[in-house]
Amino acid sequence: MTMNRLQSGTAALIAFGMIAGAAAPIVVTAPAFAQTSFSDVTTNYWARDFIQALASRDIIKGFPDGSFRPNEPVTRAQFAAMVRKAFNKADVRTGINFVDVSSNYWAYTAIQDTYEMGFLTGYPGNVFNPEQNIPRAQALVSLANGLNYTSTTAAGTVLQGYTDATAIPDYARGSVAAATEKRIVVNYPDVKYLNPNQVATRAEVAAFIYQALVSAGQATALTSPYIVAGATTPTPPADDRIIVKTGTTIPVNYSKAEKILLATNEPKPVPVTLTVAQNVSVQNTVVIPTGSQIVGEMQLVQGGAQFVAKELVLPNGTRSAISANSAVVTKTEEITKGINIAKVLRNAALGAAAAAAISAVTGDKAIATEEVLLGAGLSSVLTLIGVFQGRNKVDLISVDPNKDLNLTLRSDLVFRRAS
């Protein structure tokens, strides 16, 4: 496995970023000399030294236009690709087959290797969520676990130095404390704010990985005012945190359709982005403004479907992981031969299996290409049509996204009050 990693690592260099919503990263042939200067990383940019140091090792790459795009988010798959190039550790466990990572997925090998080395794990049900943006806390947990670091001091004591320590998820506290002691944590612009649930940017991930290399004795230490200096000094509790409590309702709407139709055998969760319909305020302060986006997916559950939120994107571009979901929608709509198909599909968005079901039952083959498809392309729909062939009717889950998908927070959201 180690030799395979070395061989495949030199075959291509992966730019861990997406261009214009592309489904896979750019892969470019390795140049004779690594590019270390980027048009959007100025000489005084806070993470410049970290970025250049990793670029010189061909661990990270820029884009064909000469940019690095330091503020773009990093997905779990992209993070796996970077970690795989940075570290060459012995395996600590055997690989598993993640249900959402096919063998021909661009980051399949990187995900398998980083799992086997102990850096990354999946979610219940052997789910990996490769396209999910990785939160800062999760990136730090990955590096600390992969390097087998544990805190020498009680986690609560180490973490008191962070003004927003209470926002650190329970699962991450021990590993973040270990990463802090090992000087892996880099916080910009305020070293005392960890922002654990904020989506990690390309610049932040570069800083974390470089510091992890330093901690493992594989890189020379850099000087930066944003590196958290080991065990932190306790500070009084901050009074500038705003907490949106578990159980808070977030009203949402969906502008792309008035109805979402899903079959009970959709091949995978259906991606949907909702819009916050009215301000969410705490103590007369608006913390989630109208127009914020909530990225997530419609998931099938026993008896129906529900929206599960993954990420909150504020109007200013700030991204945070969010745990929230809608109620389970169980309402169905019957599709039969001879039905007024135009009425059924008016202002509707379809899951791949729902589109296939309607096409097979009604005989309208154009549905697969003319209607809004969520979460799958034409090839998936055509493959699924055979499943419904010969049926005279089918019941589809019918979701009114503007009424059925209001969200309930399942864990606290913590914000910092503007100064």
Side-chain angles (χ1 to χ4, degrees):
M1 178 63 74
T2 299
M3 181 58 67
N4 289 339
R5 286 183 190 140
L6 291 173
Q7 290 172 340
S8 60
T10 57
L13 298 173
I14 298 174
F16 78 113
M18 312 298 256
I19 288 186
I26 300 169
V27 178
V28 295
T29 304
F33 299 98
Q35 177 188 2
T36 59
S37 296
F38 304 97
S39 59
D40 53 354
V41 179
T42 59
T43 55
N44 61 350
Y45 184 67
W46 72 269
R48 172 178 173 268
D49 291 347
F50 302 111
I51 293 168
Q52 288 191 339
L54 289 192
S56 69
R57 294 173 174 232
D58 286 338
I59 292 172
I60 57 175
K61 299 297 294 181
F63 293 85
D65 63 359
S67 67
F68 183 76
R69 305 179 191 178
N71 296 321
E72 284 195 358
V74 177
T75 67
R76 283 169 52 82
Q78 293 163 352
F79 184 76
M82 288 191 69
V83 170
R84 179 175 177 267
K85 288 178 68 66
F87 298 97
N88 186 32
K89 285 179 70 258
D91 294 343
V92 297
R93 56 192 173 198
T94 57
I96 62 173
N97 292 320
F98 292 108
V99 297
D100 54 350
V101 182
S102 63
S103 59
N104 61 353
Y105 182 68
W106 73 268
Y108 172 82
T109 301
I111 290 169
Q112 285 293 318
D113 287 350
T114 50
Y115 174 83
E116 292 170 5
M117 287 189 286
F119 283 99
L120 284 165
T121 60
Y123 295 93
N126 286 354
V127 172
F128 188 78
N129 283 334
E131 301 301 318
Q132 181 184 74
N133 291 335
I134 191 166
R136 284 168 52 87
Q138 192 178 114
L140 291 169
V141 168
S142 168
L143 294 169
N145 288 352
L147 295 172
N148 201 30
Y149 291 155
T150 57
S151 175
T152 60
T153 306
T157 301
V158 176
L159 299 178
Q160 283 184 64
Y162 296 118
T163 304
D164 53 354
T166 58
I168 301 173
D170 288 342
Y171 82 87
R173 291 180 65 82
S175 296
V176 171
T180 301
E181 287 189 342
K182 292 292 186 178
R183 296 173 61 89
I184 296 174
V185 183
V186 183
N187 293 338
Y188 173 86
D190 188 336
V191 73
K192 290 188 176 296
Y193 279 88
L194 181 65
N195 293 313
N197 300 309
Q198 184 171 295
V199 171
T201 66
R202 284 166 55 83
E204 290 169 338
V205 167
F208 291 166
I209 290 179
Y210 187 82
Q211 286 301 108
L213 287 169
V214 172
S215 72
Q218 299 178 37
T220 302
L222 298 175
T223 300
S224 169
Y226 305 112
I227 298 172
V228 179
T232 57
T233 303
T235 57
D239 59 1
D240 61 350
R241 289 175 296 111
I242 304 176
I243 302 175
V244 185
K245 292 291 188 180
T246 300
T248 298
T249 297
I250 303 177
V252 296
N253 55 38
Y254 184 61
S255 61
K256 294 185 178 180
E258 296 177 2
K259 176 172 62 176
I260 298 175
L261 294 177
L262 304 171
T264 55
N265 61 337
E266 292 294 337
K268 59 183 179 180
V270 176
V272 173
T273 297
L274 303 176
T275 301
V276 176
Q278 65 185 56
N279 293 337
V280 177
S281 301
V282 176
Q283 298 176 347
N284 298 320
T285 298
V286 176
V287 289
I288 306 178
T290 301
S292 299
Q293 302 291 300
I294 298 183
V295 181
E297 58 194 18
M298 295 298 303
Q299 295 183 2
L300 298 177
V301 296
Q302 187 172 9
Q306 70 178 163
F307 179 85
V308 177
K310 301 292 185 181
E311 185 179 25
L312 170 67
V313 184
L314 299 179
N316 65 4
T318 300
R319 297 170 177 265
S320 300
I322 181 173
S323 175
N325 58 258
S326 71
V328 176
V329 180
T330 58
K331 181 176 61 179
T332 60
E333 183 169 345
E334 186 179 68
I335 307 299
T336 60
K337 281 185 179 294
I339 197 171
N340 184 338
I341 195 65
K343 182 178 179 181
V344 171
L345 298 179
R346 186 177 298 120
N347 297 322
L350 313 177
I358 296 172
S359 183
V361 171
T362 65
D364 187 343
K365 304 302 182 185
I367 291 172
T369 57
E370 293 179 355
E371 304 306 324
V372 177
L373 300 179
L374 301 173
L378 175 59
S379 60
S380 297
V381 177
L382 296 177
T383 300
L384 289 164
I385 286 177
V387 176
F388 299 96
Q389 208 72 49
R391 296 193 193 183
N392 293 318
K393 66 176 183 178
V394 65
D395 289 326
L396 301 178
I397 301 168
S398 181
V399 180
D400 182 340
N402 297 307
K403 293 181 179 179
D404 297 336
L405 300 185
N406 288 334
L407 303 177
T408 301
L409 276 180
R410 297 307 177 196
S411 64
D412 291 352
L413 268 179
V414 180
F415 297 88
R416 180 183 177 185
R417 192 183 303 273
S419 56

